[in-house]
Amino acid sequence: VPIQVLSNGTTHMAPSIAIQTSLQTYLFNVPEGTSRFLFSHGLKPGQICDVFITRAVWTNISGISSLLLRKLPESPTTRIHGAVDIRNFLSSIRPFPDADCGGYINYPSTVEGCSLETHNSYEDAIFKVQYIPLLPDQKTLENTTRKNATDLAYYIEMKSAPSKIDLVKLMRMGVPREAWEKIKSGESIVLPNGREVRTEDAMADEVPDKLKRLLIVDAADEGYARSLYKNNFIRSLSGRDSSEGVNFVVHLTPEKVLKSKEYERWARELGPQCTHIVANGSGPVVPHIETMYRHARMLHELQPALFDELRPRGWRGIVSQDAYLGVNEDIWLRAAPLQRWNMRKVPTVSKTREEIFACMGFDSNRDQTWRKDARGAILAAKEAAAALGASTPSDSSFPRVTFLGTSSARPASFRNVSGYLLETSPSSAFLIDAGESTYGQLRVILDDDVCEEVLVNLHAIFITHAHEDHVTGLLAVIEKRREAFEKKGLAYIPLVVVCNRNAIRTLQSYSGCFEDLERYVKIVQVVNLVTTRAHQASDGRPSPRKKSRIDDWIPAPPTVQVTNKIRSYDREKWGLDRVMAVQVRYLFNYYLFIYFIFHHKEIVFSGDTGPCELLVEHGMDADLLIHEATFYEVTPQRANGDHHSTVGQAVEIAEKMRAKHCILTHFAAPYPKLFIILPEYLDEKKIGVAMDGLRVGFDRLDLVPLMNPIYR
């Protein structure tokens, strides 16, 4: 029964801890990216039945929805434990991620809320979990924007392992195989020699079971820490005999509190037998997902002018479940991802579950293994970059686009969901869509210092539509941007969020349930489209009781000049001449955004759409078209039915538009890297294919199509 660090919070994903058993997995906090990261740890969403939340903040709960969607219908009930009932929030956002299609998110398995209001503990066949409320002090209450400021620590106590039938004993006693099931079911049998064999006769010899105890603590500030010290149950843990004391404490507590003398004194009082595991974002910076890092490393080797290594840059080695990557500091053990500690001492004669290892080794001489035709393409691409004087992505010209996520609907091993960073100058940045883990992608692609600068310089986020793969990462970006301003001591500037009304429902629901994040943004609705003539209430607002049909929707204007709607828009500071929203061929409230950049440079982002003539009309002669290509050529009917484009359709739009450059993106998740066949005509037409981490300025757009023969 290992305690395993899913993430220590130093790279892509916020801290998260798992406890594994042979039957199920228990998760403590579910940040963005959890469903993508589980597989690198050998875990499956269907095995997760209990989720424990220490603090009801977006960082800890943002991955729950996508985790539930990954479950199969036959999966058992998912219990969500926390100070507040998070199930209500999940129910409140269900209508909105697919609201543009008039649909609902239906979680495959049922969800049960286990909040402090109705429970003070949880018990099953393996653990007994005690909820320990942590309360804020008056100072915290006066400054917090949270609706419910109560947090939880969790005390987990192992139960003795159930006794098992010893099959070797049955064979030695001469019990025939066909009678084994009777013994297992508790029946007695009589052997031909007259001997009676009962179930208890066949039980394995008892092995002393050293039961372990675990405490998980997340004291957000010194006020919460004082509540921890004063708690009667916590005080009873101090000074116990080593055989009765706590064996492990996982500290999710922020560094400022962790380093206080009072907190350290309390930790020491738990006894010398206690291992203090720190997973608060301050540990060793180590890669978390093998596939993602190896792929990024390979792309960097192929074309360093377009791709950089991911954070931590230049890291070489192997990440395993051994402890050698952890950092010991006095009583603290700063954990690395994948590290694990066993809560039950398994006898050496028993067969244990095979350990999972994630190798992150990179071969710096990998180019020697390429095929001859690939070597020629690699050489040509690097020579073209050298001719431009291009060495790293960060020295490319502005405007510059960074592809944070290029997968459709759900993340894949090598691709995250939709997100694009547009930089118009060193001091001006924008996001187009913010799928789940957009902030994590910013962090690993740009590194922490650059990421903070980008967040401070981020003027606006443009959300094309309300699907989860385009909007779930919005709240994390808002939170981290606020923290970046605080860290730099700057006066906060509200973030402009341009979207339709459905795209902000998750933000509104979260602000109503947990913490007011709306105060940090200025919402600019492109157009209110879901109001219908047939289903309006007497005050003109849509009636919530009646389901509207597409035929009843009020026609919306085909184009909207967005910059006219933004009060804080500054032409010189933003580096934008104007921004246009254009209705595309999806449903009536789907929009794409066209960006008109200074110096007569025009970028078109298609959003999700099938072939659209209005897009062609308004994007005519664009300098760069970034167009979705969800499906391959062989599925045009499905593409049209799903309101998406095939590769061929996207290329046709680029030709009609007379776009000077075109990069394809938003590929269906079944294509983890690329399509099975990468068409030759993409090279002839100089159409590029996006990969996560592609960072390209306008001076290097010609380099992108040169990657096609290498990929092929």
Side-chain angles (χ1 to χ4, degrees), residues 28-29 51-56 60 80-84 86 114-117 119-121 129-135 146 148-155 215-220 224 228 231 252:
F28 292 83
N29 293 340
V51 169
F52 297 86
I53 304 300
T54 57
R55 271 190 281 166
N60 294 343
I80 303 178
H81 309 258
V84 297
I86 296 166
C114 300
S115 70
L116 193 59
E117 299 171 353
H119 297 69
N120 58 19
S121 64
V129 182
Q130 180 71 39
Y131 300 174
I132 302 169
L134 303 181
L135 305 175
R146 292 170 57 187
N148 186 324
T150 301
D151 294 341
L152 286 182
Y154 296 98
Y155 177 74
L215 180 65
I216 294 184
V217 179
D218 184 4
Y224 284 100
L228 177 74
N231 182 276
L252 304 175

Side-chain angles (χ1 to χ4, degrees), residues 634-700:
V634 294
T635 56
Q637 291 182 343
R638 179 182 175 187
N640 291 335
D642 288 352
H643 307 286
H644 288 293
S645 298
T646 66
V647 173
Q649 290 170 336
V651 172
E652 184 180 352
I653 291 296
E655 290 181 319
K656 286 183 178 180
M657 190 183 290
R658 301 198 300 264
K660 297 179 182 65
H661 300 89
C662 178
I663 301 177
L664 304 181
T665 185
H666 197 266
F667 306 112
Y671 312 119
K673 286 184 181 177
L674 282 173
F675 305 107
I676 297 173
I677 300 172
L678 191 62
E680 298 272 355
Y681 63 75
L682 295 180
D683 309 359
E684 301 167 7
K685 301 176 185 296
K686 297 184 178 180
I687 305 291
V689 175
M691 293 280 188
D692 281 19
L694 172 62
R695 201 171 185 211
V696 57
F698 266 49
D699 59 333
R700 300 185 187 173

Side-chain angles (χ1 to χ4, degrees), residues 3-14:
I3 308 163
Q4 186 160 320
V5 179
L6 288 184
S7 172
N8 64 355
T10 57
T11 59
H12 195 286
M13 194 171 103

Side-chain angles (χ1 to χ4, degrees), residues 53 83 92 139 146 167 179 191 197 229 246 281 283-284 333 335 370 454 485 505 511 518 560 616:
I53 304 300
S92 72
K139 181 180 178 181
R146 292 170 57 187
L167 300 182
L191 299 177
V197 179
Y229 314 144
V246 180
L333 196 165
W370 301 123
V454 166
F485 273 89
R505 295 299 180 90
S511 295
E518 285 189 271
V560 177
V616 173

Side-chain angles (χ1 to χ4, degrees), residues 515-588:
E515 181 180 9
D516 183 12
L517 293 184
E518 285 189 271
R519 63 190 295 189
Y520 300 109
V521 301
K522 295 292 184 184
I523 304 296
V524 177
Q525 293 191 28
V526 178
V527 67
N528 295 326
L529 287 170
V530 292
T531 303
T532 67
R533 291 191 181 92
H535 304 112
Q536 283 181 340
S538 58
D539 59 359
R541 291 182 294 181
S543 171
R545 296 190 181 93
K546 296 180 180 179
K547 187 176 180 180
S548 63
R549 298 175 302 169
I550 293 176
D551 294 341
D552 298 322
W553 289 3
I554 297 174
T559 62
V560 177
Q561 186 161 327
V562 178
T563 38
N564 289 344
K565 289 176 166 280
I566 303 174
R567 292 184 179 181
S568 59
Y569 166 65
D570 186 318
R571 184 175 182 270
E572 295 293 333
K573 187 176 181 180
W574 285 30
L576 290 176
D577 193 12
R578 59 183 174 137
V579 179
M580 293 292 295
V582 178
Q583 223 180 77
V584 295
R585 185 183 168 193
Y586 207 97
L587 289 177
F588 285 103

